[in-house]
Amino acid sequence: MRTSESITLDQFPVGSLVSNASREIIYCNSYFAQKYGYTVNELIGMDFFSLLSRASQIMYDSYLMPLLLREGCCEEIRLTMITSASEPIPAVVSARLDNNDERRIFWSVGHAARSEQLFGELTEARKLLQQKVSLLHTLSNTDQLTGLPNRTALTRHLSQKIEEMKSGELAFALAFLDLDGFKEVNDRYGHDTGDKVLRLVAKRMTSNLRSDDLIARFGGDEFVILLHGRFNAGMAEESLNRLIRQIEEPLKIDSLTLQVSASVGVTLYPQAESITPDQLLRQADQAMYQSKLAGRNQLSLFNVDNEKHQKERHAELLAIKAAMAANEFELYYQPKVNMSSGELLGVEALIRWNHPVEGLKAPVTFLPIITETQVGLDLGQWVISSALEQLQTWLSEGLDVHVSVNISGYHLQHPEFLSNLTRALATFPDVPKHRFEIEVLETSAIEDVEKVSLVLSSCRMMGIRVSLDDFGTGYSTLAHLRDLSVDMLKIDRSFIKDMLTSPGDLAILRGVIGFARAFQCDVVAEGVETYQHAQSLISLGCDWGQGYYIARPIPASILAEWVTDWINTGFHKKFSRPPVLPITELKE
Ligand code: C2E
Ligand code: MG
Ligand code: MG
């Protein structure tokens, strides 16, 4: 290996020079001398200036030397060197000042032609890139069809606005607009016409709103408008209602005259709680949906309280789901008896929530939260299975009993209701089907009577009994009775409650009982609370009853005890005094 002493600067492919305080060249390597057409000896003693173009000499005095004196070095300065043949050659020069008395300067001179070219190319490329970036920026922020800012631009603008608000900016309103009937225009006249409609509507909006308001096309026929400085609902409503009226004006497109309208939802910022741009958009969207539901072509204001309510509901729904998993639900059973003979007809399963903190909760406190939800369906299915399991246990213990369960209209109309019921029944093959009964609730909420009628007939064909619950309360109950085939009517307790004091209620009751007979249904009265009620019902021809006078809903574990007590006390024969029962206070 060669040692460093044997290597000289002459061997480096870069020009090396040393000049002194009076710019005299005191050293130069042979590479430099060769490059610029001199010999080393010719160069030694030459003024460094004589190697520079006029412009570079100025550069030397005004820039290079002051820089060297200040910093001690400079790098990659562009100078023009002059060859012995007076030819200018661009060079890239770096220098270091040796700050002793002699003030020697060590120069390294590189050939600049290639790097100059590269530099030029880079500058050009950078310019093109900048143009592309700005074009892309415009494209990615603009909707091509309408020329309005697009969703990306809107979201960014909205985030900025929310940020500005923190420093005390004025409030704003955010509106979500969806055209009504736009799909029909597209379907009927084609997409070209649809596009023209969108362009015209966009133009109308732009000319209708203030110049500092932001209108963006959100997608399809949806637009979002940010109304600056509208800090109350009234101000926002005024602008938006004007806009809605403008949009419904006829649109002239080629030879066609078309009309569209807009459903708009609006929400205000700031709100009591901090909110993200996304949530704000969702609020406006929800309010827009309200406008659609309310008949389109109108404005709805987002109600923060409503959302809070919905959030609470959602939390409650999750709590119910968790309670199911934690096995906190329990079925209580309320006997139904023949008040004349004392015979036990059956028991009705009534759901309770053993809440770890709030205690025993009545169905009214939680069932409304889960109506028309999957949780509601799951709980309904759980009720069916649990009641069947309990029935099987009682039968195996020799207790002669029938069990009914309540089924919501939504559950009943679910496409898998019958198959799930069949599966549940198959799990308990020892239970005779006729001992199981379903009580159909919310008869007025049954939308598809034909379908429900089919489901109920199928249940009856399986051998299951079917009763109509709360009979008399739904306005369409009578029509249902004509269309639905059932075994029993349960007269709602509201008719029983005032039968002793209200001749009107008594007349209705009489009518309902007669009506049930005409349809050859059994009748059971709910809410039998006193001896007098029981006696009056018997005299009206309604022997079957259920109510606190007979028994409160009780846990499954004490039903056998109740039955023994019921028979042993002879109460069922005399019907003179209520049996002693544990009364569990319910939270309603
Ligand atoms: P329903 O099916 O009409 O049940 C009768 C309701 O009346 C029960 O209330 C029962 O405790 C109450 N009741 C019984 N006798 C008397 C009485 O003499 N006086 C008074 N004031 N009330 C009496 P509960 O258990 O609170 O149930 C209320 C409703 O909740 C039920 O009305 C039923 O519609 C629904 N429900 C209960 N359990 C279930 C279930 O498992 N599934 C479904 N889908 N709904 C259920
Ligand atoms: Mg019921
Ligand atoms: Mg009822």
Side-chain angles (χ1 to χ4, degrees):
M1 198 173 143
R2 302 179 68 173
T3 61
S4 57
E5 287 84 47
S6 60
I7 300 169
T8 71
L9 273 177
D10 284 335
Q11 290 162 308
F12 282 92
V14 63
S16 302
L17 293 176
V18 183
S19 58
N20 62 17
S22 36
R23 289 197 320 240
E24 216 178 300
I25 296 173
I26 53 172
Y27 169 83
C28 95
N29 70 350
S30 55
Y31 181 87
F32 180 87
Q34 232 173 22
K35 188 99 205 149
Y36 291 90
Y38 294 97
T39 62
V40 172
N41 283 340
E42 281 171 335
L43 281 168
I44 302 291
M46 260 174 79
D47 182 357
F48 185 66
F49 251 34
S50 59
L51 294 175
L52 298 179
S53 71
R54 182 73 195 117
S56 293
Q57 289 170 358
I58 296 169
M59 176 91 157
Y60 182 101
D61 280 337
S62 61
Y63 176 70
L64 213 150
M65 250 346 257
L67 185 68
L68 273 178
L69 289 171
R70 197 174 64 241
E71 309 272 331
C73 69
C74 62
E75 278 177 8
E76 297 199 358
I77 310 288
R78 277 169 182 75
L79 296 176
T80 305
M81 311 290 285
I82 307 293
T83 64
S84 62
S86 306
E87 211 182 305
I89 296 183
V92 177
V93 173
S94 296
R96 191 169 64 76
L97 178 68
D98 187 7
N99 219 358
N100 56 19
D101 288 347
E102 282 189 67
R103 297 235 300 259
R104 286 183 304 187
I105 303 173
F106 297 82
W107 301 93
S108 122
V109 183
H111 193 46
R114 177 76 191 132
S115 50
E116 284 300 336
Q117 191 187 346
L118 272 178
F119 183 72
E121 279 169 7
L122 271 175
T123 319
E124 191 55 27
R126 201 204 217 140
K127 216 161 78 193
L128 283 173
L129 197 69
Q130 266 166 356
Q131 280 171 0
K132 282 237 162 69
V133 165
S134 95
L135 181 69
L136 267 176
H137 184 261
T138 320
L139 281 179
S140 67
N141 284 280
T142 311
D143 169 51
Q144 293 306 292
L145 183 70
T146 59
L148 292 177
N150 62 12
R151 196 181 185 137
T152 320
L154 169 87
T155 322
R156 205 190 46 246
H157 191 82
L158 201 54
S159 310
Q160 263 169 18
K161 267 278 127 212
I162 290 183
E163 214 35 60
E164 279 169 23
M165 297 284 306
K166 288 179 187 152
S167 56
E169 265 274 313
L170 277 184
F172 67 83
L174 185 81
F176 202 104
L177 183 149
D178 187 291
L179 293 183
D180 306 319
F182 180 70
K183 189 179 172 299
E184 286 75 40
V185 172
N186 253 346
D187 289 350
R188 192 154 163 214
Y189 302 105
H191 285 262
D192 262 5
T193 309
D195 286 355
K196 286 179 183 160
V197 167
L198 288 175
R199 257 187 243 128
L200 274 179
V201 169
K203 213 163 139 194
R204 273 190 193 173
M205 288 201 281
T206 323
S207 58
N208 197 270
L209 293 165
R210 297 200 310 227
S211 60
D212 60 342
D213 293 333
L214 179 100
I215 308 171
R217 178 160 174 233
F218 202 65
D221 59 348
E222 296 169 336
F223 297 86
V224 169
I225 309 159
L226 211 144
L227 301 151
H228 293 106
R230 319 291 212 283
F231 38 80
N232 65 37
M235 293 166 90
E237 272 170 338
E238 199 189 307
S239 308
L240 292 168
N241 276 324
R242 204 169 345 109
L243 187 71
I244 290 174
R245 299 287 81 82
Q246 280 276 318
I247 291 176
E248 66 178 344
E249 290 287 315
L251 296 160
K252 283 225 172 310
I253 292 168
D254 306 327
S255 57
L256 294 169
T257 305
L258 298 176
Q259 196 178 15
V260 287
S261 60
S263 295
V264 185
V266 64
T267 188
L268 298 173
Y269 189 89
Q271 297 176 6
E273 285 172 30
S274 69
I275 186 165
T276 65
D278 242 23
Q279 288 170 316
L280 208 60
L281 275 168
R282 234 176 296 133
Q283 289 186 348
D285 186 22
Q286 261 181 42
M288 181 280 292
Y289 191 62
Q290 287 307 314
S291 296
K292 290 265 184 210
L293 288 181
R296 308 158 147 213
N297 194 20
Q298 55 189 288
L299 174 71
S300 303
L301 181 70
F302 178 78
N303 185 337
V304 180
D305 293 340
N306 253 351
E307 201 197 37
K308 222 171 134 196
H309 178 72
Q310 270 177 13
K311 272 191 190 153
E312 282 165 9
R313 281 260 145 156
H314 186 66
E316 286 170 340
L317 191 94
L318 292 183
I320 293 171
K321 210 171 156 184
M324 267 181 78
N327 225 355
E328 286 170 12
F329 289 102
E330 182 181 353
L331 291 180
Y332 274 43
Y333 294 88
Q334 187 177 34
K336 287 178 271 187
V337 300
N338 182 322
M339 297 182 287
S340 291
S341 66
E343 180 198 355
L344 174 68
L345 300 169
V347 289
E348 175 178 8
L350 294 161
I351 194 161
R352 303 288 180 261
W353 182 357
N354 286 307
H355 195 282
V357 180
E358 295 172 39
L360 197 67
K361 292 182 68 161
V364 68
T365 65
F366 57 88
L367 287 187
I369 297 164
I370 55 170
T371 47
E372 312 207 350
T373 67
Q374 184 58 45
V375 183
L377 293 175
D378 294 344
L379 195 63
Q381 201 52 41
W382 175 85
V383 168
I384 292 177
S385 308
S386 306
L388 280 168
E389 189 177 0
Q390 186 58 58
L391 177 57
Q392 179 173 270
T393 308
W394 279 327
L395 293 177
S396 69
E397 288 167 1
L399 199 64
D400 180 17
V401 74
H402 294 71
V403 170
S404 65
V405 292
N406 293 284
I407 305 289
S408 74
Y410 184 70
H411 191 183
L412 195 72
Q413 289 170 92
H414 191 268
E416 277 162 33
F417 174 76
L418 273 179
S419 53
N420 285 340
L421 178 66
T422 314
R423 206 170 313 123
L425 286 164
T427 320
F428 304 100
D430 298 339
V431 171
K433 308 276 185 298
H434 71 276
R435 288 189 177 268
F436 194 63
E437 176 179 326
I438 58 172
E439 297 190 10
V440 181
L441 290 168
E442 301 151 32
T443 42
S444 56
I446 291 175
E447 291 128 20
D448 190 346
V449 177
E450 226 169 276
K451 189 170 136 205
V452 166
S453 162
L454 224 88
V455 172
L456 295 186
S457 305
S458 307
C459 288
R460 294 184 76 203
M461 270 154 63
M462 278 187 234
I464 294 170
R465 283 172 59 86
V466 175
S467 60
L468 274 193
D469 206 349
D470 300 345
F471 186 75
T473 51
Y475 68 96
S476 55
T477 316
L478 295 186
H480 283 148
L481 197 57
R482 192 193 53 211
D483 298 325
L484 306 174
S485 70
V486 298
D487 299 288
M488 175 145 77
L489 296 185
K490 295 190 75 178
I491 306 176
D492 190 68
R493 65 170 188 266
S494 59
F495 295 99
I496 316 297
K497 192 169 158 269
D498 295 325
M499 64 180 284
L500 299 177
T501 49
S502 155
D505 275 11
L506 190 67
I508 293 174
L509 197 58
R510 204 173 267 130
V512 170
I513 294 169
F515 200 76
R517 282 225 196 88
F519 279 90
Q520 293 170 331
C521 293
D522 292 330
V523 197
V524 58
E526 295 178 334
V528 181
E529 291 191 354
T530 66
Y531 172 72
Q532 285 79 11
H533 282 110
Q535 287 306 318
S536 297
L537 282 163
I538 292 169
S539 69
L540 286 172
C542 175
D543 285 355
W544 293 5
Q546 174 181 358
Y548 293 172
Y549 181 66
I550 302 154
R552 291 213 170 222
I554 50 176
S557 55
I558 57 171
L559 183 74
E561 202 183 311
W562 178 85
V563 174
T564 314
D565 190 40
W566 174 254
I567 295 166
N568 288 352
T569 54
F571 164 74
H572 66 288
K573 295 213 178 82
K574 288 186 252 135
F575 223 76
S576 56
R577 69 161 185 85
V580 183
L581 277 177
I583 295 174
T584 325
E585 282 308 320
L586 272 187
K587 302 275 182 311
E588 289 204 4

